[in-house]
Amino acid sequence: MKKIAVMTTGGDAPGMNPAIRSVVRYGISQKLEVMGVFRGWWGLINEELKPLNRRSVSGIIGEGGTILKTARCPEFRAQEGQQRAYETIKKNNIDGLVVIGGNGSFAAAHEFYKKFNIPCIGVAASIDNDVNGIDYTIGTDTAINTALDAIDKIRDTATSMERIFVVEVMGRESGFIALTVALAGGCEDVIIPEKAMEMNVICHDIVHGNLVGKMSWIIVIAEGAGKADDIARQITEMTGLETRTVVLGHVQRGGRPTAASRDLALNLGKAAVDCLIAGKADMALGLTAGKIVEVDFKTAIRKKELKIDNFYKLIKILT
Ligand code: F6P
């Protein structure tokens, strides 16, 4: 292994930059040449890459987003796109690839490895925390704290004006962000894709709460479970009470990575380089039970089961 390339693909996640920094500086310390690929698979298809040195990654450790840019790349699904990406790899004498991204990126990397035998190591980075076999991905902690900060602020106005808020958070098909911030934010209810929605129960609780003087509510909904506006409208129809909605959206993807996101990124970046040097391939790295784990891509891209019961019960008990 003489030369490796690193890229970020799919939705950006806070912590991608420290992961790049780690791959570059650790790679160089191991006498590797490191190339940076721009805009993920798109950059391989279009030969947009350049050598990176220690200075190329100066000052990025605390920056959100990714200096390598990222993109969703439908062209890579086609045989022609994959072939062109392979040609870029060969032309530039790249021996291994570090793919920083989520399960969509890993599905693509798995395909690429199977077809062209180019060693790919994934570094799990996604705010959704939906990579199977991995407890924590880079960016999750930051996104949760961003969403929590917003919910704390919404709480101030909800309490002051005695209102019901429905707050929509990201997470694609996963309710992880929603469940975590609902508990941490003392929210009254949470609606997630992993659990059947019970509007009757939610509305009954609100009406009953009002009778005993509980006038403000924050209900968190994961984007994969529906739209905040629809839920708010149903609550108003069923209870006669006024509601407000907030869709947190892409704000959850930005901002300075927290210490947890940075440390994870720095450790996983190094571990990815070690894996390539050791001749490993076709696997993603993440954090499980406090340790860095290697999960083969095939497992990583399977649907992750979210254990909801304890969280959900606690949210309801503590309301
Ligand atoms: O996967 C990260 C994520 O932010 C999801 O939570 C969300 O559903 C999706 O990306 C949004 O993607 P885009 O920025 O391409 O609209």
Side-chain angles (χ1 to χ4, degrees), residues 29-56:
S29 81
Q30 300 303 297
K31 313 267 178 284
L32 297 176
E33 282 177 66
V34 185
M35 302 282 280
V37 181
F38 290 88
R39 300 177 185 85
W41 301 106
W42 185 94
L44 277 187
I45 294 173
N46 295 288
E47 211 185 342
E48 287 250 349
L49 67 174
K50 70 169 193 195
L52 300 175
N53 59 37
R54 296 182 66 85
R55 295 275 66 78
S56 317

Side-chain angles (χ1 to χ4, degrees), residues 11-12 72 126-128 170-172 223 250 253:
D12 50 278
R72 306 206 187 274
S126 163
I127 65 161
D128 301 336
M170 274 189 168
R172 208 179 282 276
E223 64 174 347
H250 288 78
R253 288 236 297 258

Side-chain angles (χ1 to χ4, degrees), residues 74-150:
E75 295 93 325
F76 191 75
R77 291 203 197 105
Q79 170 69 27
E80 194 203 329
Q82 295 174 5
Q83 184 63 36
R84 280 174 57 190
Y86 174 68
E87 279 157 21
T88 300
I89 297 250
K90 285 286 123 191
K91 190 171 156 195
N92 289 275
N93 301 313
I94 292 163
D95 304 312
L97 198 56
V98 177
V99 179
I100 305 172
N103 44 20
S105 315
F106 298 159
H110 177 55
E111 247 339 85
F112 197 57
Y113 173 72
K114 269 198 315 190
K115 278 198 182 145
F116 301 103
N117 205 28
I118 301 294
C120 296
I121 298 291
V123 167
S126 163
I127 65 161
D128 301 336
N129 204 26
D130 57 353
V131 178
N132 187 42
I134 287 172
D135 284 353
Y136 279 98
T137 54
I138 297 166
T140 301
D141 183 70
T142 310
I144 285 169
N145 278 295
T146 301
L148 183 60
D149 183 51

Side-chain angles (χ1 to χ4, degrees), residues 256-279:
R256 295 174 74 75
T258 57
S261 289
R262 292 185 205 192
D263 286 354
L264 180 58
L266 296 164
N267 278 297
L268 294 186
K270 174 206 178 274
V273 174
D274 281 337
C275 282
L276 285 175
I277 293 172

